């Protein structure tokens, strides 16, 4: 994203300092706050450089510690972004004047191929990728195009394009995604493949008409990336041990549940990674295929051509698979075919949208799965959420609100010393950097199978699971709070009571 220097205070780094100067002294002015110039610095900054900055802005200096490599990247982004935006604004102003004179405002394709628009879109994609964003949101508003990045699961505003080229930016992205730029009244979906330095990205593009124009969402998927290993998911040792054992069972179905964006697909890939692709026939049905798995046959879903989850599953059993991964159980037909595959001796892994592990059972019954089939095939349900991790560069101790702690703590605690992030350059002042999972694993034993057969209520099923000391999402979250991985507020944000 565009580095925040100047975004709130009028600070314009390239106008007053050269990149060579900033890199030599490892400093970068950020913003003016509370009468001070906040300056990111790596290590022990040169006093003369700080004096220069103080004299230049006529303000005292407040140092914000930063890692050298991150500061170097921030300096590069600040210089490139400011230079590009300034050039874009100047060029856009001249082009708008020419277009107004020629009355040629309707030529969207010509506008979309103008150098300032191309530069802005390229910069946006590069900055989103380097920031680790999972999505780019372009929202048409009354005042122009609002740009937001989803960083660690949370949306964050960045500087948008000049209003005069907002429509051209939308048209540029639609052109890259091979969409109809003349069609603005219907939703459209497309894809973009982009190479950014040593990375290759697939971008899924979705457009919808809105009150003030089209709004777009771009999902960033890295091509050639590797799936996450099971021990990188964030499970505690006991849950990880059970998860490994369940993943290697020869038949039955294991479900991963949670809301959209909770990391279910990542966990499914980790599960498949535990199987022996050389000795087993492994088939996956996905929408979309996010990672390429060596030795595995991966089938993409394409609803437009009739290639749905259910349609594929009806045929893949003739491929003599040992293991099936179904990206998502979206309907009763898909669930029924997957359950019957597990009943006939296949190991099946899939995902489902439920708030907790126990809710998967009544959800499958709602989809039309008979209790006897479910009781015979279901081996386990893993519910999960993603929480942001405390930034390692600005972590600090604090005393949390006792009422908040009481909501997730296992035992009453009057006063606790926990950790949180203060906010720094490395985490873009959020206090968080990266994410990890919290998990709730429900393993199905004979007593639970009996409860499923008699169509026990969700409350009965939960009581049965609790009696087996099932580690709930909040309990797992509290353990990560105590070890300084995340915060109480993060666990409360992603979990329900």
């Amino acid at each position: 994203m565009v580095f925040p220097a100047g975004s709130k205070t009028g600070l314009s780094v390239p106008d007053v300092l050269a990149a060579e100067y900033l890199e030599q002294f490892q400093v970068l002015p950020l913003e003016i706050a509370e009468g001070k110039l906040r300056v990111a610095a790596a290590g022990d900054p040169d006093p003369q450089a700080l004096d220069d900055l103080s004299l230049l802005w006529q303000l005292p200096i407040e140092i914000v510690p930063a890692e050298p490599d991150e500061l170097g990247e921030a300096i590069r982004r600040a210089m490139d972004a400011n230079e590009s935006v300034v050039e874009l604004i100047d060029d856009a102003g001249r082009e708008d004047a020419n277009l107004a004179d020629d009355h040629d405002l309707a030529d969207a394709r010509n506008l979309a191929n103008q150098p300032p628009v191309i530069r802005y879109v390229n910069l946006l994609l590069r900055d989103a990728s380097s920031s680790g964003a999972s999505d780019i949101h372009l929202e048409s508003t009354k005042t122009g195009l609002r740009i937001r990045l989803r960083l660690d699961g949370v949306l964050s505003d960045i500087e948008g394009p000049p209003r005069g080229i907002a429509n051209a930016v939308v048209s540029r992205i639609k052109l890259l995604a091979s969409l109809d730029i003349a069609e603005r009244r219907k939703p459209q979906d497309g894809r973009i493949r982009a190479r950014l330095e040593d990375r290759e990205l697939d971008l899924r593009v979705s457009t919808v008409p809105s009150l003030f124009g089209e709004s777009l969402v771009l999902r960033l998927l890295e091509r050639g990336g590797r799936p996450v290993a099971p021990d990188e998911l964030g499970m505690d040792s006991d849950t990880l041990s059970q998860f490994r054992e369940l993943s290697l069972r020869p038949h039955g179905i294991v479900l991963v549940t949670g809301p959209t964006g909770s990391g279910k697909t990542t966990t499914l890939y980790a599960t498949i990674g535990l199987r022996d692709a050389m000795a087993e026939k492994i088939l996956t049905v996905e929408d979309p295929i996010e990672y390429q798995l060596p030795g595995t046959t991966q089938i993409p879903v394409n609803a437009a051509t009739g290639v749905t989850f259910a349609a594929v599953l009806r045929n893949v059993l003739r491929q003599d698979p040992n293991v099936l991964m179904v990206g998502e159980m979206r309907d009763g037909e898909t669930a029924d075919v997957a359950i019957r595959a597990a009943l006939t001796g296949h190991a099946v892994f899939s995902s489902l949208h439920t708030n907790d592990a126990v809710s998967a059972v009544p959800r499958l019954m709602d989809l039309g799965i008979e209790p006897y089939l479910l009781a015979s095939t279901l081996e386990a349900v893993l519910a999960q959420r993603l929480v942001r991790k405390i930034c390692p560069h600005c972590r600090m101790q604090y005393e949390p609100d006792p009422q908040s702690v009481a909501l997730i703590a296992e035992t009453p605690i009057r006063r606790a010393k926990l950790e949180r992030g203060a906010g720094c350059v490395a985490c873009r002042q959020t206090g968080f950097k990266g994410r990890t999972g919290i998990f709730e694993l429900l393993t199905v034993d004979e007593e639970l199978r009996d409860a499923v057969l008699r169509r026990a209520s969700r409350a009965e099923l939960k009581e049965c699971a609790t009696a087996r000391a099932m580690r709930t999402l909040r309990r797992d979250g509290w353990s990560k709070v105590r070890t300084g991985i995340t915060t109480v507020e993060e666990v409360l944000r992603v979990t329900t009571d």
Side-chain angles (χ1 to χ4, degrees), residues 423-481:
C424 65
V425 174
C427 63
R428 300 179 183 275
Q429 310 303 324
T430 64
F432 299 97
K433 194 171 181 65
R435 288 190 292 177
T436 191
I438 57 174
F439 301 91
E440 176 179 289
L441 180 60
L442 172 67
T443 55
V444 181
D445 58 12
E446 290 305 315
E447 187 171 343
L448 265 172
R449 294 188 197 281
D450 290 340
V452 172
L453 278 171
R454 67 172 188 272
R455 291 182 179 269
S457 67
R458 179 187 176 279
E460 292 179 89
L461 291 170
K462 187 161 187 175
E463 184 178 345
C464 189
T466 304
R468 285 157 180 71
M470 180 183 70
R471 189 184 183 95
T472 63
L473 288 168
R474 284 198 170 176
R475 182 182 173 190
D476 192 37
W478 174 240
S479 72
K480 289 179 170 63
V481 169

Side-chain angles (χ1 to χ4, degrees), residues 105-346:
L105 294 172
D107 191 356
R109 184 178 296 274
N110 181 57
L111 267 175
N113 287 316
Q114 294 299 317
V117 178
I118 294 172
R119 279 196 296 272
Y120 181 84
V121 172
N122 290 347
L123 177 66
L124 176 63
L125 296 181
R126 191 193 68 189
D127 287 342
S129 175
S130 63
S131 300
S134 60
D135 301 87
I136 307 172
H137 291 243
L138 299 92
E139 301 163 352
S140 295
T141 70
K142 188 176 182 179
T143 57
L145 198 61
R146 183 188 187 191
I147 309 292
R148 295 195 288 173
L149 302 183
R150 190 174 292 280
L151 300 168
D152 294 331
V154 178
L155 286 172
S156 176
D157 280 276
I158 65 169
E159 188 174 350
R163 189 171 182 178
I165 65 164
N167 289 336
V169 168
V170 171
S171 295
R172 175 68 185 168
I173 294 173
K174 290 176 69 176
L175 279 174
L176 292 173
S178 300
L179 301 179
D180 183 358
I181 63 173
E183 179 56 74
R184 300 176 181 175
R185 297 170 298 176
K186 296 180 181 179
Q188 297 186 68
D189 292 297
R191 295 176 186 268
I192 300 171
R193 181 175 294 181
R195 186 180 295 279
L196 302 173
E197 297 175 351
D198 59 341
R199 301 179 64 194
E200 191 172 336
L201 298 177
D202 270 340
L203 296 93
R204 288 188 291 165
V205 182
S206 172
T207 77
V208 294
S210 65
L211 180 61
F212 297 105
E214 289 182 286
S215 291
L216 283 67
V217 175
L218 285 70
R219 167 65 59 88
L220 280 66
L221 301 171
E222 185 171 359
R223 293 175 60 86
R226 68 171 184 86
V228 174
D231 55 2
E232 298 174 315
L233 295 171
M235 295 180 186
D236 70 278
S237 57
D238 289 341
T239 302
L240 180 59
S241 176
Q242 293 180 68
F243 175 75
R244 287 180 181 275
E245 189 272 327
L246 290 163
S247 300
L248 295 174
R249 290 189 180 180
H251 54 77
I253 187 164
V254 175
L255 294 174
V256 181
T257 74
T260 300
S262 59
K264 300 187 296 296
T265 302
T266 299
T267 300
L268 287 176
Y269 274 115
T271 307
I272 293 299
L274 291 171
R275 308 293 301 210
D276 185 356
M278 297 298 292
E280 297 179 309
K281 174 77 170 184
I282 302 175
L283 289 173
T284 74
V285 187
E286 309 172 56
D287 182 23
I289 295 174
E290 296 189 15
Y291 298 107
Q292 295 180 15
L293 301 173
T296 301
T297 302
Q298 296 175 267
I299 306 167
V301 167
N302 187 345
T305 59
V307 184
T308 63
F309 280 109
V312 172
L313 284 174
R314 283 195 298 269
N315 292 281
V316 295
L317 294 181
R318 301 191 187 100
Q319 295 284 311
D320 189 30
N322 300 101
V323 180
L324 281 173
M325 186 189 98
V326 184
E328 183 182 340
M329 287 190 179
R330 294 181 177 175
D331 52 55
E333 187 178 5
T334 303
D336 183 66
V337 177
I339 291 288
R340 292 183 183 277
L343 189 65
T344 54
H346 301 84

Side-chain angles (χ1 to χ4, degrees), residues 390 398 400 405 408 417-419 474-491:
I390 298 171
Y398 81 112
V405 172
I408 64 171
K417 285 290 185 182
L418 300 177
E419 291 186 328
R474 284 198 170 176
R475 182 182 173 190
D476 192 37
W478 174 240
S479 72
K480 289 179 170 63
V481 169
R482 287 185 304 170
T483 53
I485 295 173
T486 189
T487 66
V488 173
E489 292 76 17
E490 267 298 285
V491 175

